Amino acid sequence: MGKTKILVIGDVRSNMSLLSSKLSSLNASKAGPFDLCFAVGPMFAKGATDVPLSELSLPMPVYFPDLGVPPPTLSVPLADLEKPAACIAPNLFYLQTKTGLATIGPMGADEEKPDPKSLVVSWIGKNAQPSHLEEVVKKAKHASYLGCDIMLSSEWGQGVLSLLPAETISKLDDASPSTFGDADVADMAAALRPRYHFAAAHGLYVTAPPYRNGASSGSVTAARLFHATRFVALGGADPKADPKDKSRKFVHAVGIECLTQMDRGALLAEPPNTLPSPYLGQAYEKVGAGGDANYGVSEASARAMMVEDQDAEQFRWQGRGVDNNAQNKRKREAQSGGDSQPSDTLHISGLNRDPGGIVNAQSLLAAVGGNESTHSVRLPPGKNFGFVQFPSVEAAKACHSANSSGLNVQGVRLMVRFASGSSNNGDNQSAGRGAVKSTLTEKDCPDSEVLFVNFPKTVPDSAFEEVTEAIRVCAEKALEEALNEGVDEADKMTAATEPALAVTSKLPIGKGFCFLVFASHSAAAMAIAAVTGGTDGGFVEDSLAAATPALSKLSLYWSKADLKQMEQREKDEKGLNFTRVRYPADSRTDCWFCLASEGCEKHLIVDVGTDCYIAQPKGPLNKTHSLIVPLAHDGIGAFVGSARDEVRSCADKLAALARKDGDELFVFERAIETRGGLHSHAQCIPIEKGLTGKLQEVISNATGKLGITMQELQNEDIQLKTIVDGAEYFYMEVPDGKGKATRFVTKVPRGAGMRIPLQFGREIAAVAMGCGEKSHWKACVESEEAEKATAMAFRESFAAAQKS
């Protein structure tokens, strides 16, 4: 079967003549002809195209998912959503659904009889929502799904920086692992397993090393079951760009055979230097350490940020929700070099001696004489150690004895010792993740309606939801059977009709345990007795595990978890995971706040002074949420720049207006340079007096989570300018509910600004106000007519307050 020859291009942004000439020249070159072309990044920018679309000449079909800013002459047939591709110009096809998975070939998309050149293509388009993501991910869960050949996205996936060397990352603006990239793109890439993932968005040409797909980074299972993925990012089409600058290359060519036609062995062959997945391993799973909300960052951001917390999670894989003292013991033993009691798992250290990457799951497995069906290999990414779990303690002891002086893996000498926390006798109980720190009995929880479920370490992270649902259904079924024993079929009760039998589940994100919530304590007691054989809990009965393998080695105990607290935390966290709803970057390039800029939305302006102006933001949290913006774009913070005196005066006026309405004013400024430059502005958000205590609590938790130390400015005579002394900063004025405010500031070193997320201050306010779903301004943008009406009312009330 011949390969399909394709071209992939980056941001076109209405440079249609360059697109046409580049594709035509490549098609006529020795490398051509090509069968297909795919485009990532915006196809159009604001204004007309440099070539009328009706006159566009493309030598092959071009498919793209990001429309960008449609030109005035564009008429896109979006009505027929049954067809994923809309032809908007000769040989130019818009993949119009928000997300998609389709077979695309030279003859079209999803044709009834795809030709041999067709490829399986997935994409995530502009403004995709989680519901759109679910639709396409559902297809990937089908047993017949093998993966896709190509995935297209404008943004990079969050976590992909872990694949790149430091010198490449340094070329990216705001390249912080905690915030860089898009969480939905990452989730889609992890679920759909593309062979090639093409992206744009950052103007840089990057080819990352291939990475594995699978349930667990670095595992033998992942390498055996799935093919690898190559991530390629492309620059933008710029007629003025230097063609010799390879770092801005915007065209990439590849020959690829459709995976549905390939030999299975060839498809699964792992390329050299393949890395663990940036989306499924340690770099992407840890959320909410300690159980608190991840204030100020998205779910995926928190996963990436807490990778740095080595002390808390160095032995993460050995047990989630297990005895912290046992984890600390393992840590101390690792640092002291002492050996543990014999177990079924060996700790392999010394990977720092292997800079060439010789030691991987396969070579390590071969060195210990194991095979994929009996042994498990885990190599935490970025660590100098790993683990091999044997089928029994005796097998591990034999390997330990044979390699007591060191394990030789293709010339690399590694040290071997027993790992703590593994099974010592191979029975059912020892196969779990370890003893719960304090397994609670029914006596400890006389009024509890909640059970704690601990997963065994053999459950991969990707199966957490499946296991949670399996134990929930099992508990619910146990209640039904217990109450329906001896009852006629017509009179039997079910959870669907009887709320007293219903069981709900709570699965903390990224954790190896879950909670089952019952309608009453008696229902919970009946369920735990039926599932484990005793009212104090234990492991799931063998008969139940035999019927439902997902229940194997699960343990259930009582929990004192407060359901109301859990629900409140979920409510709070809705606003703290805003990048789960994908908001694409704004395509305009001019400054949003310069009054002379074409993009400045002047209908939002409330009042204009000599050195600054007051305006409403896009997507305000309430009707009098405002911005104070210096007129000069001087790259200096609003509270320390040349307009500082008038900015201070405006803030005082807005505070007085808020108090007149019975509120207090929360003021903050993030004076940290972003990719688009810095036109400083302070945000002022009125908050109900009764919520000022909640605001202070949220700020304390948020800054603590991110490791931010806020300095209190106790002396009112000390100016902020003196404190920051030219540094970037984050500043807050926190009301006390009594008409006064406390000033706080933290200075930020140059280049470390993304440690404080772009929406940090707004997130804090939104959570404190109980509207966490509005944490990102794009979540509550109104029509221009509504904006004008709100701004007009604010303008009138502000003017009236100044006259009184």
Side-chain angles (χ1 to χ4, degrees), residues 698-718:
V698 173
I699 290 173
S700 177
N701 290 335
T703 54
K705 268 298 177 193
L706 295 181
I708 299 171
T709 301
M710 301 296 297
Q711 175 186 355
E712 181 179 349
L713 306 183
Q714 296 180 336
N715 190 334
E716 295 182 0
D717 296 329
I718 297 179

Side-chain angles (χ1 to χ4, degrees), residues 70-312:
T73 58
L74 180 64
S75 176
V76 183
L78 297 178
D80 186 5
L81 293 181
E82 294 297 321
K83 296 181 179 180
C87 183
I88 63 174
N91 257 352
L92 186 61
F93 298 89
Y94 172 40
L95 298 170
Q96 58 187 342
T97 55
K98 301 300 183 183
T99 59
L101 182 65
T103 301
I104 296 178
M107 300 301 293
D110 270 349
E111 57 270 24
E112 294 182 3
K113 295 181 179 180
D115 66 40
K117 296 283 188 179
S118 293
L119 300 172
V120 180
V121 180
S122 64
W123 63 90
I124 177 167
K126 200 171 185 179
N127 301 320
Q129 302 291 322
S131 59
H132 301 125
L133 201 67
E134 291 171 4
E135 294 173 6
V136 72
V137 170
K138 183 178 180 181
K139 298 179 181 178
K141 293 181 178 179
H142 194 277
S144 63
Y145 181 77
L146 297 178
C148 62
D149 294 299
I150 292 172
M151 176 175 162
L152 308 173
S153 67
S154 288
E155 183 56 82
W156 299 19
Q158 196 167 62
V160 79
L161 290 184
S162 64
L163 300 175
L164 305 179
E167 57 267 25
T168 300
I169 297 175
S170 65
K171 299 177 183 178
L172 294 163
D173 295 328
D174 297 340
S176 168
S178 65
T179 55
F180 190 88
D182 188 279
D184 287 331
V185 172
D187 286 347
M188 186 163 167
L192 269 63
R193 306 189 300 275
R195 293 165 66 198
Y196 287 89
H197 177 187
F198 295 102
H202 299 284
L204 194 67
Y205 174 69
V206 172
T207 56
Y211 68 82
R212 299 183 187 95
N213 288 287
S216 179
S217 294
S219 70
V220 175
T221 303
R224 179 170 60 86
L225 293 180
F226 304 120
H227 53 263
T229 294
R230 289 173 172 83
F231 174 79
V232 179
L234 296 156
D238 184 357
K240 300 179 181 179
D242 182 1
K244 296 181 181 180
D245 185 0
K246 301 302 181 184
S247 67
R248 304 294 171 179
K249 177 180 171 183
F250 80 100
V251 182
H252 185 84
V254 64
I256 182 172
E257 182 181 353
C258 183
L259 82 170
T260 59
Q261 308 294 327
M262 289 183 65
D263 173 75
R264 186 71 174 160
L267 177 64
L268 300 182
E270 184 171 288
N273 303 318
T274 300
L275 300 176
S277 170
Y279 309 131
L280 299 178
Q282 190 181 35
Y284 201 71
E285 72 175 353
K286 294 187 293 181
V287 175
D292 294 329
N294 298 301
Y295 291 102
V297 293
S298 68
E299 172 188 328
S301 299
R303 284 185 276 196
M305 290 179 68
M306 284 186 281
V307 172
E308 300 170 3
D309 185 9
Q310 297 180 3
D311 289 344

Side-chain angles (χ1 to χ4, degrees), residues 656-679:
L657 178 61
R659 287 192 294 271
K660 184 178 179 181
D661 294 334
D663 298 326
E664 297 279 3
L665 195 69
F666 174 45
V667 179
F668 63 89
E669 181 189 7
R670 185 184 184 278
I672 300 170
E673 188 169 0
T674 59
R675 187 167 61 233
L678 175 65
H679 193 153

